[in-house]
Amino acid sequence: MGKERNHFKSLLIISILLTVLVFFISINAGYIKIPLGEVIKTLLGNGTPQNELTIFEFRLPRIVMAILVGMGIAVSGAILQGLSQNPLADPGIIGINSGAGFAIVLYMFFFQGTTFLTGWASIFIMPFAALLGAFLAAFLIYILSWKNGKVTPVRLLLVGIGINAAFMAGLVIFQMKMEPNDFMKTIVWLAGTIWGTNWNFVWALLPWLFILIPITFYKSRKLDVMGLGDQIAIGVGLHIEKERRLLLLISVALAGACVSVGGGITFLGLIAPHIARKLVGPRHARLLPMTAVLGGLLLLSADTIGRVIMAPMELPVGIIVSILGAPYFIYLLVKNM
């Protein structure tokens, strides 16, 4: 037991150190190159005005946002996989992200050209709009997947893919009716670009993650018990439907809030929990923290690659993640069908 705990701590520390390393690589990735010494001086408050502007107003918010969005989507995927006992579950694949995105597009469509869209308050309103869309998608998936008193993993996946396609079609319809400027915003969102690149977006997302992720960690043992099957969970006194609904709400809320600022990022919620499970095992007390750190590391790495590979242009982070995630999804699909 002690050996396993030490193994987990070591892997977690290594992952955090890798994130710090990618952080410094990312902060220097871009058209303007800043030597490492100047970066450190600027972070300590002794940099030049130009370096302070570049780092604090442009690069640092994006880096922090990539880490936060990666953590939120990864933990959301881990919850979905734990609840459904489906290794293919991911908020981007089964339609939750597209439901959130559909709500964002509706928000943009109905409030285009008004202060409700362009004002600073819209940054804090958008996560709630995304949340409504994500909850609608989750409700439809749950209802349509229910058959003979249960939800099977394959049925959940197939219904989710159908719901995803339906919301994506709705997205296109409303996109076609938008003003050109708002249309371009939705294109950027669909590509999965970290477009919330100022500190207001960070402050809008932080409360969701700081409240919901610790609650998820606290519920880790109950996720373990639910993984043993409904009969055993009920036998040990777990109010299984109550806990399942609460954890599902947390997963949907995390995905919705992250989508509102991070865009349509698919497969991250699939990849990060699987890597974490390979490293630290299936116990959620270790799996969830490892998943959160790996999610932040993976998305920050993908965003950094996207900014370097086609500099001075940018390759959207969602495309980088999809390039990595799509083959792995196909492998899991073939393995589990």
Side-chain angles (χ1 to χ4, degrees):
M1 198 71 172
K3 187 177 180 181
E4 290 181 0
R5 188 180 296 110
N6 290 334
H7 178 68
F8 162 67
K9 289 180 179 178
S10 299
L11 289 173
L12 192 64
I13 290 170
I14 291 170
S15 300
I16 292 171
L17 290 176
L18 284 173
T19 304
V20 173
L21 175 63
V22 178
F23 170 89
F24 281 104
I25 294 172
S26 183
I27 212 167
N28 197 33
Y31 183 74
I32 300 173
K33 301 296 182 183
I34 306 173
L36 179 60
E38 292 296 319
V39 169
I40 294 173
K41 283 174 63 177
T42 304
L43 292 175
L44 294 174
N46 299 315
T48 65
Q50 181 183 1
N51 287 345
E52 288 182 356
L53 178 67
T54 301
I55 291 175
F56 287 110
E57 298 301 323
F58 295 105
R59 293 184 182 174
L60 202 54
R62 180 169 184 153
I63 290 169
V64 173
M65 185 59 66
I67 293 172
L68 293 177
V69 170
M71 291 175 64
I73 292 178
V75 171
S76 175
I79 295 171
L80 286 177
Q81 290 174 20
L83 287 177
S84 65
Q85 296 300 300
N86 185 350
L88 300 170
D90 168 73
I93 295 171
I94 66 172
I96 292 174
N97 284 6
S98 61
F102 181 70
I104 293 293
V105 169
L106 283 182
Y107 175 76
M108 289 181 175
F109 178 76
F110 286 109
F111 293 108
Q112 55 188 327
T114 69
T115 55
F116 283 100
L117 180 62
T118 58
W120 66 269
S122 68
I123 295 172
F124 295 90
I125 295 172
M126 287 174 72
F128 290 98
L131 192 64
L132 291 175
F135 278 136
L136 174 61
F139 175 76
L140 292 174
I141 293 165
Y142 192 81
I143 292 298
L144 295 176
S145 300
W146 187 271
K147 186 177 182 181
N148 299 326
K150 63 180 180 179
V151 176
T152 62
V154 173
R155 189 175 178 84
L156 178 73
L157 176 65
L158 294 176
V159 170
I161 291 173
I163 293 294
N164 184 54
F167 276 120
M168 292 303 291
L171 274 167
V172 173
I173 291 171
F174 282 96
Q175 272 185 291
M176 295 296 103
K177 297 182 178 182
M178 282 183 163
E179 297 292 334
N181 187 46
D182 293 325
F183 174 79
M184 290 307 300
K185 285 183 181 179
T186 61
I187 290 294
V188 169
W189 179 89
L190 286 171
T193 300
I194 303 293
W195 61 278
T197 53
N198 66 57
W199 289 111
N200 285 335
F201 286 94
V202 175
W203 305 134
L205 182 61
L206 270 177
W208 297 84
L209 269 62
F210 276 7
I211 294 171
L212 297 178
I213 289 182
I215 293 175
T216 306
F217 291 173
Y218 177 73
K219 296 285 186 179
S220 60
R221 289 189 178 182
K222 293 182 179 179
L223 271 170
D224 289 337
V225 173
M226 283 189 278
L228 299 174
D230 289 3
Q231 290 184 341
I232 295 177
I234 294 170
V236 298
L238 186 68
H239 298 287
I240 190 164
E241 285 303 323
K242 177 184 174 183
E243 296 295 338
R244 184 176 283 144
R245 284 193 294 268
L246 175 60
L247 286 163
L248 181 60
L249 288 176
I250 291 172
S251 175
V252 171
L254 283 171
C258 290
V259 163
S260 70
V261 295
I265 299 170
T266 307
F267 296 117
L268 182 64
L270 174 77
I271 299 172
H274 274 274
I275 296 175
R277 198 173 289 110
K278 295 281 186 183
L279 292 174
V280 300
R283 288 188 58 191
H284 285 86
R286 297 169 186 167
L287 174 66
L288 290 172
M290 194 70 194
T291 297
V293 174
L294 287 176
L297 172 60
L298 288 171
L299 196 63
L300 179 59
S301 301
D303 186 53
T304 304
I305 292 169
R307 287 193 285 131
V308 170
I309 196 171
M310 294 183 66
M313 297 178 64
E314 295 182 6
L315 189 64
V317 64
I319 294 176
I320 302 291
V321 176
S322 294
I323 290 171
L324 298 173
Y328 191 64
F329 173 72
I330 294 170
Y331 162 73
L332 289 174
L333 188 64
V334 171
K335 181 180 178 181
N336 289 277
M337 290 297 285

